[in-house]
Amino acid sequence: MAEREGVAVQFHAAEVVPKKGDHRDVSGGDIDPVPVYTDERESIASDGEEPTEEERHQLRHVPDKLPKAAWLVAVVELCERFAFYGLSGPFQNYIQNGRHGAVPGALGRGQSGATGLSNFFQFWCYVTPIIGAIVADQYLGKYNTIVYFAMVYIVGLIVLFVTSLPVSLDHGAGLGGLIAAMIIIGLGTGGIKSNVSPLIAEQYRGTKQKIKTLKSGERVIVDPAVTIQRIYMIFYLCINIGSLSAIATTELELHIDFWAAFLLPTLMFLVGFVVVIAGRKYYVVRPPKGSIIIHAFRAMWIGLINKGNMNAAKPSYQQEYGGKRRTPWTDQFIEEIKRALVACRVFVFFPIYWVVYNQMLNNFISQAGTMELHGIPNDIMQNIDPLTIIIFIPVFDRLIYPFLRKMGIPFRPITRITFGFFTGALAMAYAAIVQHLIYNAPPCYKSPLNCDASNDGTLPNRIHVAVQTPAYLLIGVSEIFASITGLEYAFTKAPPSMKSFVMAMFLLTTAFGSALGIALSPTAKNPKLVWMYTGLAVAAGIAGSVFWLVFRRYNDTEEEMNELENLGEAAKPVTEVKGLPGSRRPSEFQHGEKEPAV
């Protein structure tokens, strides 16, 4: 990510005073503070210099300019998400309904079969990032892993397309082809998902705050943390632009056939793959570190058997107290592991948030089906969520967050995630109100579409589907607070050599959320839906409150934890990393020029 400048601090003639903070890791051990040195004689820093402590609190913090490579990675993610959401959008009809019926279909496996396979696919897609992370951090590096797993993804897309052709369906290849494609595509997306998120942030190489004077004359602080925040806002914006592909593929499914619906995502993914290959000389990457994950687990085991004291895994500790354990790492590595454990502890609450989020993918759609649709499909309402995110990300990024920073109001990660939980709780509370309105509307009241007056299930309760809109809006805003900040937190708190693995741990919480949703699914039936939504609202509200009480102290040490990034290994351009496409052989280096370390 960043071009490290070492840990040397230039001392002036005046006395230099270290500033220290107190922070504890998840096991109760202390995270040693990173000294921040200030020259007491200097009161104003020049442009390009680090700000003084007084300036850190008084001047406005702004993001830096984003590098071209970050935009290239964003385009790659847009194409991948276009493919993922475009192909998964028609899955329910493809699996549930038979061919040549009133509703598009192919396999005729019924609603339970369709729901089961769809849940399996979602779960599998968020478990496989662990595989991709291990491959990247330990063996291939992020860029190589993305390239190879993209090839796997393409194979899965081709299998899905070919087995959805009418001739394949006529010969009974549809179901087997679908299951094979789900497994292959899920493996491919896992390898990409865990690596593209940290890769985009690594394209920005700044790690230290610096003073800048704007054309207006205002002196501001260019802050790497604010820059990373903006990068993930743009990244998430691209995800949601890509997710709108389901609108196109469901139309193709309806008016042409499923093979056309699956061909479009395949072509779009190929565009993304071309961008990955063509832009390789622009990317900045970290080389893999071999046994880094094994070392991390060994260090955590040493800490565990020493009653949660992670300092016991430090070489200096072993030397001082006569320990006999082999520690082939540095003290700095243990500090990074402790910081990563902070992030993983924060992630523990996220499955509850994902249960709330997933309601818009299933129960909100079913709820819309019991309302007056006025000619629109009941499953098109879910697109309000990505549209909300596409509209409001620029609002938050350009207006709300800068205004808060200008007013001196720190809106740090733990606070933003807490707001995400509370906004999700409001969405569930509103959904409960909508469900109450449905149950109090004729003709079927608490049995929508299931009474004699419904004309064999064709007459919904008399309430307009547009009433649902605020629930989708609230879910979208909650994602801006919780989901985007979760991605940001996973990147900034992970050790430089374990970015993909910690990101995969964050993505794994989505899989746990899906599993919780499956466990709660028996409660999703009339006339209990009001209580189900109410229960989710209460659960999200309680989770947000406990989350704030437990983790709010991490806001106070946010900058200290991020300072550890200045001490890690520098990221390098792809062309300088041995073993990656476009790298130079040792013989190609000029006399006196060092070959980059791997």
Side-chain angles (χ1 to χ4, degrees):
M1 164 187 141
E3 185 177 6
R4 310 296 185 207
E5 299 176 2
V7 297
V9 179
Q10 296 201 358
F11 290 86
H12 297 278
E15 181 183 3
V16 179
V17 182
K19 169 197 162 192
K20 295 186 178 181
D22 179 40
H23 184 62
R24 303 186 69 80
D25 69 21
V26 294
S27 301
D30 290 327
I31 289 184
D32 295 338
V34 178
V36 180
Y37 295 94
T38 61
D39 186 344
E40 291 185 339
R41 188 179 63 185
E42 293 283 345
S43 58
I44 297 178
S46 302
D47 277 16
E49 294 183 352
E50 288 190 58
T52 64
E53 192 62 32
E54 183 180 5
E55 287 171 330
R56 290 178 194 270
H57 295 287
Q58 291 182 348
L59 299 184
R60 185 162 62 96
H61 292 235
V62 300
D64 205 349
K65 183 179 178 181
L66 303 188
K68 181 190 298 184
W71 293 103
L72 289 175
V73 178
V75 170
V76 171
E77 177 66 0
L78 189 154
C79 293
E80 190 277 330
R81 289 292 92 181
F82 185 102
F84 180 84
Y85 287 108
L87 65 89
S88 59
F91 270 177
Q92 191 76 6
N93 282 345
Y94 183 72
I95 303 167
Q96 178 175 340
N97 307 312
R99 299 178 69 191
H100 312 302
V103 180
L107 303 182
R109 296 289 163 172
Q111 183 174 350
S112 60
T115 302
L117 279 174
S118 297
N119 283 330
F120 160 75
F121 181 61
Q122 292 293 328
F123 182 83
W124 173 241
C125 286
Y126 284 99
V127 170
T128 53
I130 295 291
I131 300 173
I134 293 173
V135 171
D137 285 340
Q138 193 152 338
Y139 300 108
L140 298 179
K142 297 179 189 66
Y143 177 79
N144 251 358
T145 302
I146 289 173
V147 170
Y148 291 135
F149 277 79
M151 295 177 184
V152 173
Y153 203 127
I154 291 170
V155 171
L157 289 169
I158 293 173
V159 169
L160 181 63
F161 166 68
V162 171
T163 56
S164 67
L165 291 168
V167 63
S168 299
L169 296 174
D170 290 340
H171 287 82
L175 181 60
L178 174 69
I179 294 173
M182 282 181 165
I183 293 172
I184 298 170
I185 291 171
L187 184 61
T189 196
I192 295 172
K193 193 70 179 168
S194 59
N195 290 294
V196 74
S197 299
L199 181 65
I200 188 172
E202 286 183 349
Q203 304 315 298
Y204 177 66
R205 305 176 78 175
T207 59
K208 296 181 179 180
Q209 297 177 348
K210 61 184 179 181
I211 295 292
K212 178 181 180 181
T213 302
L214 303 179
K215 292 181 179 179
S216 63
E218 180 188 6
R219 297 178 71 249
V220 297
I221 296 174
V222 177
D223 193 337
V226 177
T227 307
I228 296 299
Q229 180 181 327
R230 168 164 288 182
I231 285 174
Y232 278 113
M233 295 280 271
I234 293 170
F235 181 76
Y236 211 75
L237 180 69
C238 291
I239 289 175
N240 283 274
I241 292 173
S243 73
L244 294 175
S245 61
I247 299 175
T249 55
T250 50
E251 287 294 316
L252 288 170
E253 157 206 332
L254 179 63
H255 297 292
I256 302 180
D257 203 348
F258 285 99
W259 64 264
F262 296 143
L263 177 61
L264 179 61
T266 303
L267 296 176
M268 191 65 174
F269 188 86
L270 290 174
V271 171
F273 185 69
V274 170
V275 173
V276 169
I277 300 300
R280 67 183 181 274
K281 66 180 181 179
Y282 298 107
Y283 299 128
V284 174
V285 299
R286 296 181 192 278
K289 294 290 290 181
S291 303
I292 191 71
I293 294 175
I294 295 174
H295 287 170
F297 278 102
R298 281 183 57 193
M300 286 187 284
W301 172 251
I302 293 173
L304 183 64
I305 62 177
N306 282 273
K307 301 180 180 180
N309 180 17
M310 282 297 297
N311 288 327
K314 291 182 176 181
S316 61
Y317 184 100
Q318 292 289 316
Q319 184 177 359
E320 181 178 355
Y321 293 98
K324 298 180 180 180
R325 294 190 175 274
R326 192 169 67 90
T327 52
W329 49 73
T330 64
D331 285 4
Q332 177 64 26
F333 178 67
I334 300 304
E335 291 302 318
E336 293 174 342
I337 293 295
K338 288 156 70 175
R339 184 181 63 169
L341 288 173
V342 168
C344 291
R345 187 182 181 191
V346 167
F347 299 158
V348 167
F349 283 77
F350 266 87
I352 298 173
Y353 172 77
W354 294 125
V355 173
V356 169
Y357 167 84
N358 286 336
Q359 297 310 301
M360 76 168 186
L361 304 177
N362 41 56
N363 287 321
F364 279 16
I365 295 173
S366 299
Q367 185 185 68
T370 65
M371 306 168 74
E372 292 180 331
L373 297 170
H374 299 278
I376 65 171
N378 65 309
D379 56 359
I380 206 169
M381 290 293 290
Q382 63 183 306
N383 290 291
I384 294 173
D385 172 76
L387 288 172
T388 298
I389 293 170
I390 291 169
I391 293 169
F392 278 94
I393 277 182
V395 173
F396 277 89
D397 183 47
R398 299 289 180 173
L399 297 176
I400 296 177
Y401 288 162
F403 175 76
L404 292 174
R405 288 193 293 267
K406 191 171 185 178
M407 297 299 293
I409 301 173
F411 201 44
R412 295 194 173 100
I414 297 301
T415 308
R416 298 201 300 269
I417 293 171
T418 303
F419 268 68
F421 273 91
F422 288 154
T423 311
L426 288 175
M428 293 300 99
Y430 183 81
I433 293 172
V434 172
Q435 195 64 51
H436 177 74
L437 294 174
I438 293 172
Y439 285 161
N440 283 276
C444 293
Y445 298 97
K446 292 188 177 182
S447 300
L449 304 177
N450 192 26
C451 68
D452 294 338
S454 70
N455 194 19
D456 293 329
T458 60
L459 187 63
N461 285 12
R462 291 174 192 155
I463 180 169
H464 201 293
V465 71
V467 175
Q468 269 196 324
T469 302
Y472 286 105
L473 289 172
L474 288 167
I475 288 287
V477 172
S478 78
E479 286 183 72
I480 294 174
F481 286 134
S483 184
I484 295 178
T485 308
L487 292 169
E488 175 191 334
Y489 211 76
F491 177 81
T492 58
K493 302 304 174 290
S497 52
M498 291 182 65
K499 298 288 188 187
S500 294
F501 187 77
V502 176
M503 186 65 70
M505 296 304 294
F506 174 67
L507 297 174
L508 188 63
T509 64
T510 306
F512 290 143
S514 297
L516 282 175
I518 294 171
L520 293 172
S521 60
T523 64
K525 58 184 179 182
N526 295 312
K528 301 177 181 179
L529 289 170
V530 170
W531 293 109
M532 185 201 72
Y533 288 124
T534 302
L536 288 173
V538 171
I542 292 174
S545 300
V546 175
F547 179 87
W548 171 253
L549 292 173
V550 172
F551 299 125
R552 61 181 177 178
R553 69 184 187 276
Y554 292 150
N555 276 339
D556 298 331
T557 56
E558 176 70 14
E559 290 187 7
E560 288 179 15
M561 287 191 286
N562 289 344
E563 282 289 332
L564 287 173
E565 195 74 13
N566 292 328
L567 308 179
E569 182 181 352
K572 301 178 176 67
V574 167
T575 53
E576 295 181 11
V577 179
K578 188 171 69 175
L580 294 181
S583 62
R584 293 181 287 175
R585 295 184 298 274
S587 59
E588 295 176 287
F589 286 86
Q590 301 296 324
H591 177 70
E593 182 185 1
K594 281 189 176 182
E595 179 185 358
V598 291

